[in-house]
Amino acid sequence: MKIITLNEDSRQDVLENLLKRSPDNYAVYEETVNEIIRRVRQEGDQAVFAYTLKFDKFALSSENIRVSREEIKEAYGKLDPRLVEVIRKSAGNIRDFHVKQLRNSWFDTREDGTILGMRITPIARTGVYVPGGKAAYPSSVLMNVIPAKVAGVKEIVMTTPPGADGNVNPGTLVAADIAGVDTIYKVGGAQAIAAMAFGTQSIPKVDKITGPGNIFVALAKKAVYGHVSIDSIAGPSEILVLADETANPRYVAADLLSQAEHDELASAILVTTSGKLAQKVSDQVDQLVKELSRAGIIQKSLDQYGYILVADNMQDACDAVNEIASEHLEILTANPFEVMTKIRNAGAIFLGEYSSEPLGDYYAGPNHILPTNGTAKFFSPVNVDDFLKKSSIISYSREALGKAYEDIALFAESEGLTAHANSIKVRFED
């Protein structure tokens, strides 16, 4: 890995290089995606069936578009029973974590008859997109569905692409069943996003779409935003390890590679105050890459977006961490909880050498759908609030409004909105 002295110039160079991975640079594919969305919106099922035959080589129809209970039962038989049990345990941990995020509606009542408050209600129907084929991730099914279930969403539908034989990844089906998905449709790509956003003869329109996908899925979500809500436009995966001289270089190297294996655009960065650790980690990376099955992908990822940045002190290191605002941040220092207080921007923070990133991906409970590409500066992980909506409650008695109506009318008239002012005044004409 490249070892670079951290200064203002090198930090800026790293940031500019990482931003090249932004989904905002996918514009070359927008025309194709917009055409798919237009056709699905106009033609409904027929467009979905045609695109599925074209891209997934499966003859979809209204008779086979839905995954049956028999197919779900068969999926259980295709998985190692130990894996099924692990999925159940993971689902339990995720549910326990997200239950703590629930909030209740509230009301504030005053003696003069004023009632103010916030009514919190769940979204009625949400749609989850799940990639298929080699990119099938049952863990992401749990992370998308369980917060929605905890929030009280009444109907959860899922779309996922079929194989050429019409089958869906068994791990995906088992995870969806355990998490509580109501209906699963064998549709993938931008056409699935369009179908959920606008509805077709077979697939109902949803209120929100969540879930990861390829470039076409990301652009489709971006295009339908406003017709429905979405979680985010996710970019490539990334990890940043913040370490001092006490860190175990083999642990650090292994953790960096855990994200570099996702794809060639993944980013793996070490920021450290120790030049010695930097060299040891680089050596360990070279050794470990040779032992891993996705070595080709990992090496290309490291060559393009892998860095070891050596800082003069921990404050400079933390400043760089906050600027990069990584999706995953591991803090491997003598006192990680103290260092954490200096961190403002990160999707998920892992503290200590036994809290490696895959713990969050699969098992601990916090959501692994996280802001990427620097958006942790203003976005949060997927959580229960993403599936809730809030309505303001306002109720004034005549007495309460009488104390305020002249002020309200004055404010409205200052903006030239005399009808607004009149709506208040007519109540006190006598």
Side-chain angles (χ1 to χ4, degrees), residues 162-177:
D165 59 0
N167 292 324
V168 173
N169 181 278
T172 296
L173 294 184
V174 169
D177 188 56

Side-chain angles (χ1 to χ4, degrees), residues 1 3 277-287 308:
M1 291 181 70
I3 300 178
L277 179 74
Q279 188 57 58
K280 289 179 180 178
V281 169
S282 181
D283 293 342
Q284 284 290 327
V285 165
D286 292 341
Q287 178 181 329
I308 297 176

Side-chain angles (χ1 to χ4, degrees), residues 264-331:
E264 296 169 6
L265 295 178
S267 167
I269 299 173
L270 166 63
V271 179
T272 181
T273 52
S274 170
K276 289 183 178 179
L277 179 74
Q279 188 57 58
K280 289 179 180 178
V281 169
S282 181
D283 293 342
Q284 284 290 327
V285 165
D286 292 341
Q287 178 181 329
L288 287 171
V289 167
K290 299 173 185 177
E291 304 170 6
L292 298 171
S293 61
R294 297 168 68 88
I297 292 173
I298 291 171
Q299 194 58 59
K300 288 182 180 179
S301 167
L302 296 178
D303 290 344
Q304 296 181 97
Y305 304 109
Y307 295 95
I308 297 176
L309 304 177
V310 182
D312 284 339
N313 54 67
M314 187 55 68
Q315 186 58 57
D316 286 350
C318 290
D319 289 344
V321 168
N322 284 320
E323 277 298 305
I324 295 170
S326 184
E327 177 187 18
H328 305 100
L329 170 63
E330 291 187 6
I331 302 179

Side-chain angles (χ1 to χ4, degrees), residues 33-34 36-38 40-41 189-199 205-210 216-233:
V33 169
N34 288 337
I36 292 172
I37 292 172
R38 184 192 66 78
V40 172
R41 192 172 184 181
Q191 60 271 24
I193 301 301
M196 289 191 286
F198 300 107
K205 174 179 169 34
V206 303
D207 301 306
K208 182 162 190 167
I209 299 172
T210 66
F216 297 97
V217 169
L219 283 175
K221 288 171 68 177
K222 184 178 179 181
V224 302
Y225 177 65
H227 297 281
V228 294
S229 178
I230 62 171
D231 48 356
S232 66
I233 309 296

Side-chain angles (χ1 to χ4, degrees), residues 15 37 41 53 66 73 80-82 119 123 136 194 203 214 230 235 253 261 320 354 391 393:
L15 287 170
I37 292 172
R41 192 172 184 181
L53 184 61
R66 290 178 60 165
K73 290 178 182 178
D80 183 334
R82 293 177 300 171
R119 185 162 183 254
I123 290 171
I203 301 174
N214 62 17
I230 62 171
E261 76 169 344
Y354 295 106
S391 301
I393 303 298

Side-chain angles (χ1 to χ4, degrees), residues 130-248:
V130 180
K134 295 179 181 178
Y137 299 118
S139 58
S140 286
V141 176
L142 303 181
M143 296 292 181
N144 277 281
V145 175
I146 292 174
K149 293 292 288 187
V150 170
V153 175
K154 290 186 177 180
E155 184 179 0
I156 301 174
V157 303
M158 190 176 94
T159 60
T160 188
D165 59 0
N167 292 324
V168 173
N169 181 278
T172 296
L173 294 184
V174 169
D177 188 56
I178 289 172
V181 173
D182 294 293
T183 313
I184 304 169
Y185 297 94
K186 299 177 181 180
V187 184
Q191 60 271 24
I193 301 301
M196 289 191 286
F198 300 107
T200 72
Q201 293 85 347
S202 297
I203 301 174
K205 174 179 169 34
V206 303
D207 301 306
K208 182 162 190 167
I209 299 172
T210 66
N214 62 17
I215 290 172
F216 297 97
V217 169
L219 283 175
K221 288 171 68 177
K222 184 178 179 181
V224 302
Y225 177 65
H227 297 281
V228 294
S229 178
I230 62 171
D231 48 356
S232 66
I233 309 296
S237 189
E238 54 200 30
I239 186 171
L240 193 155
V241 178
L242 175 59
D244 61 16
E245 70 282 354
T246 66
N248 183 314

